[in-house]
Amino acid sequence: MLRAQLQVELKQLQRKLGIITILVTHDQEEALSLSDRVLVLADGAVQQIAEPLEAYTRPANRFVARFLGTTNCFDGGVIRHGARNVRFAGCHQHTA
């Protein structure tokens, strides 16, 4: 509870004072709630730079999707497609 309150206060101070803050964290919720933009790294390589909502709803790749825990990932492939439908074979995995 205290951590969440401090996050709100920090965000308010940033806006009030017009300061830029760089926050390094492994806490995805904290990064998404405090940031105007997020940069996701994997092994020192940039995977995505985006506004939090964009990174959350439109991850650039599988690593970002799994790291943020935002999407269902499907392992498999298209076995048949037509004008209005796609048949997909694979195993559904939900990442949380």
Side-chain angles (χ1 to χ4, degrees):
M1 186 70 164
L2 178 61
R3 185 174 182 159
Q5 290 172 335
L6 287 173
Q7 289 173 356
V8 170
E9 286 190 37
L10 179 59
K11 186 81 169 180
Q12 289 172 348
L13 278 172
Q14 290 171 322
R15 295 205 189 285
K16 180 180 177 182
L17 300 173
I19 58 174
I20 295 172
T21 305
I22 297 175
L23 171 69
V24 178
T25 182
H26 289 93
D27 184 324
Q28 295 88 336
E29 184 179 333
E30 183 175 71
L32 293 172
S33 67
L34 282 176
S35 302
D36 294 322
R37 296 188 54 80
V38 294
L39 182 146
V40 179
L41 292 170
D43 297 322
V46 174
Q47 301 298 307
Q48 185 169 5
I49 301 173
E51 293 180 4
L53 182 60
E54 180 183 350
Y56 185 79
T57 59
R58 296 179 52 198
N61 57 37
R62 180 176 286 249
F63 176 83
V64 175
R66 288 191 171 174
F67 182 74
L68 296 179
T70 62
T71 63
N72 291 319
C73 293
F74 295 92
D75 291 323
V78 173
I79 58 173
R80 186 176 59 204
H81 62 87
R84 293 188 174 188
N85 59 46
V86 173
R87 182 161 181 145
F88 179 83
C91 175
H92 175 267
Q93 295 180 343
H94 178 72
T95 57

